[in-house]
Amino acid sequence: MKSLFEQFGGTYRKENDYIIPNFEMPDIANFEIDFFGQQHLWFLQHYLTYINLLTNGNFNEYLAEIDRQAQERFLRVVEQMKQKQEMTEQLKAINSIKWTQLMNCIRQQANELIFAELIFN
């Protein structure tokens, strides 16, 4: 009787005393996976979702989509926080050190929000 893997066209190879399924990874050149996607990869590797995505061939596409969503959300959150704290180019010209401190704080807060909402969820 064929396994479910074989019924769907999968094949095996024998290495030493082990029978190992032959998996083909999709071409990763089509997907840009940046900081947020790599962090989500690290998170996924501890869960069954990682194996499921790997075996059904959607792994890189999934990570690229998470990364895209996180980047878009990050930029929106930073812009909203800048507006709320009234950070302007005038402040940047008058007191660049204060502006840099505020921007670093905003970016860190936005990172924490993105990690909580998308990356480690």
Side-chain angles (χ1 to χ4, degrees):
M1 179 173 186
K2 287 186 174 183
S3 68
L4 190 60
F5 180 68
E6 290 174 307
Q7 290 174 15
F8 285 106
T11 59
Y12 294 96
R13 69 180 184 278
K14 188 170 184 173
E15 289 186 18
N16 299 327
D17 292 333
Y18 299 100
I19 298 175
I20 301 173
N22 294 320
F23 289 116
E24 283 188 34
M25 295 298 292
D27 182 23
I28 61 172
N30 299 333
F31 301 102
E32 251 333 284
I33 300 169
D34 207 3
F35 176 73
F36 292 114
Q38 290 173 6
Q39 294 299 311
H40 194 62
L41 165 62
W42 176 85
F43 174 73
L44 284 179
Q45 287 177 335
H46 297 89
Y47 296 95
L48 188 58
T49 307
Y50 175 72
I51 300 298
N52 290 340
L53 288 169
L54 249 160
T55 55
N56 70 17
N58 296 331
F59 180 71
N60 291 318
E61 182 179 352
Y62 173 79
L63 280 183
E65 179 62 21
I66 288 289
D67 190 65
R68 185 192 62 75
Q69 289 175 11
Q71 291 287 351
E72 288 175 3
R73 178 85 170 112
F74 177 80
L75 294 174
R76 270 196 318 268
V77 167
V78 166
E79 197 55 42
Q80 290 169 354
M81 292 175 95
K82 280 174 55 177
Q83 290 174 1
K84 188 173 184 177
Q85 295 184 19
E86 298 176 2
M87 289 186 58
T88 62
E89 291 299 314
Q90 184 181 6
L91 174 63
K92 187 177 181 180
I94 294 170
N95 191 345
S96 62
I97 292 176
K98 176 139 177 97
W99 185 88
T100 303
Q101 289 172 337
L102 289 171
M103 270 309 288
N104 286 341
C105 184
I106 287 172
R107 291 178 60 84
Q108 183 61 37
Q109 290 172 348
N111 260 342
E112 290 175 12
L113 181 69
I114 300 305
F115 277 99
E117 286 181 353
L118 292 171
I119 306 304
F120 298 132
N121 190 359

